[in-house]
Amino acid sequence: MKRCAWASREPLLSYHDKEWGRPLHDERRLFEFLVLEGAQAGLSWETILRKRPAYRKAFERFAPKTVARYGTRDVARLMKDAGIVRNRAKIEAAIQNASAFLATQKEFGSFDTYVWKFADPLVMSKDLKKRGFRFVGPTIVESFMEATGILDHHEKTCDWRRPSRARSGSAATSESHTTSDNESEHTKGPRSSWVGSAARDARRVVRGRSS
């Protein structure tokens, strides 16, 4: 079977085949990806995948209500956890994002309903920031949208790429621009200025710079 070029080894291969780009609607897992994508900033996605079990334990399987109640003792505990990225700003952002996540759930009925309204990472990024989310710049948000299937950026030759109708009809807002199949591939794929986590890793692998 043909895969995206970046899915060349574990754990990237299993992640590509079983998760990346598959439409996701589970609230807790949406929050998990929001936290993990923020934690990935400045690092490789492979690093975060290897730390994922530790993250699930440290953040109590990403229950938003639980994480939103974290205080200074929890921050101190997480800062001592060698299994996760011990960056105070990222840890505090995860806690703040849990509160923002719950507020968004309350407003829209579910976070799933909210995020699947968007098709443009920049538009979603701006709206998330207005709602108090942190570590949600356009690059991180695009990676989140790719991971949860809102955007399908599988390469054209990849057997996991969804049909055009399934890829283009799932998320749209009046604010978001639509693109042709060709434009989507070239302006929002691996060569985009908003390169997703996995796509960035793919370029490192191709150039022989992956750790």
Side-chain angles (χ1 to χ4, degrees):
M1 301 188 76
K2 295 181 180 179
R3 296 178 172 87
C4 295
W6 58 266
S8 59
R9 61 177 182 271
E10 294 295 351
L12 296 173
L13 194 150
S14 292
Y15 173 67
H16 172 277
D17 290 1
K18 298 176 181 179
E19 295 187 81
W20 195 67
R22 291 195 176 193
L24 179 64
H25 300 283
D26 179 80
E27 295 290 287
R28 187 174 293 200
R29 290 191 62 205
L30 287 170
F31 179 63
E32 175 181 358
F33 274 113
L34 195 65
V35 173
L36 294 179
E37 293 292 354
Q40 185 271 340
L43 303 170
S44 74
W45 185 240
E46 182 174 355
T47 295
I48 299 302
L49 285 179
R50 294 189 184 282
K51 291 180 177 290
R52 194 178 191 182
Y55 263 96
R56 285 176 169 171
K57 182 179 180 180
F59 283 89
E60 301 178 73
R61 301 197 67 80
F62 295 102
K65 289 183 179 180
T66 301
V67 177
R69 292 194 294 266
Y70 282 1
T72 54
R73 289 184 179 180
D74 294 289
V75 173
R77 168 180 61 83
L78 293 167
M79 286 294 293
K80 295 177 182 178
D81 191 335
I84 68 171
V85 178
R86 290 179 288 182
N87 179 296
R88 183 175 295 275
K90 292 179 179 181
I91 290 170
E92 291 178 344
I95 297 169
Q96 180 173 325
N97 287 352
S99 296
F101 185 96
L102 294 173
T104 305
Q105 277 184 325
K106 185 175 181 179
E107 180 178 349
F108 290 90
S110 69
F111 192 72
D112 173 66
T113 299
Y114 167 72
V115 295
W116 278 88
K117 293 172 58 179
F118 296 96
D120 188 318
L122 182 59
V123 175
M124 185 190 286
S125 173
K126 289 181 177 179
D127 200 74
L128 286 168
K129 289 177 181 178
K130 289 179 182 178
R131 296 177 182 280
F133 288 87
R134 295 168 56 191
F135 279 87
V136 287
T139 300
I140 290 174
V141 169
E142 183 178 32
S143 296
F144 170 80
M145 295 173 79
E146 290 174 336
T148 58
I150 299 171
L151 296 179
D152 180 6
H153 284 177
H154 283 282
E155 296 168 8
K156 281 189 173 181
T157 57
C158 180
D159 289 335
W160 275 259
R161 185 178 173 90
R162 300 197 300 271
S164 297
R165 183 177 300 174
R167 287 187 291 107
S168 62
S170 57
T173 67
S174 58
E175 298 173 284
S176 303
H177 67 270
T178 57
T179 61
S180 67
D181 187 58
N182 186 61
E183 182 185 0
S184 175
E185 178 72 8
H186 292 285
T187 64
K188 290 197 172 186
R191 281 164 284 189
S192 165
S193 60
W194 297 334
V195 182
S197 306
R200 286 196 302 274
D201 291 347
R203 297 202 298 189
R204 293 191 185 102
V205 171
V206 171
R207 295 174 183 173
R209 294 189 286 111
S210 178
S211 57

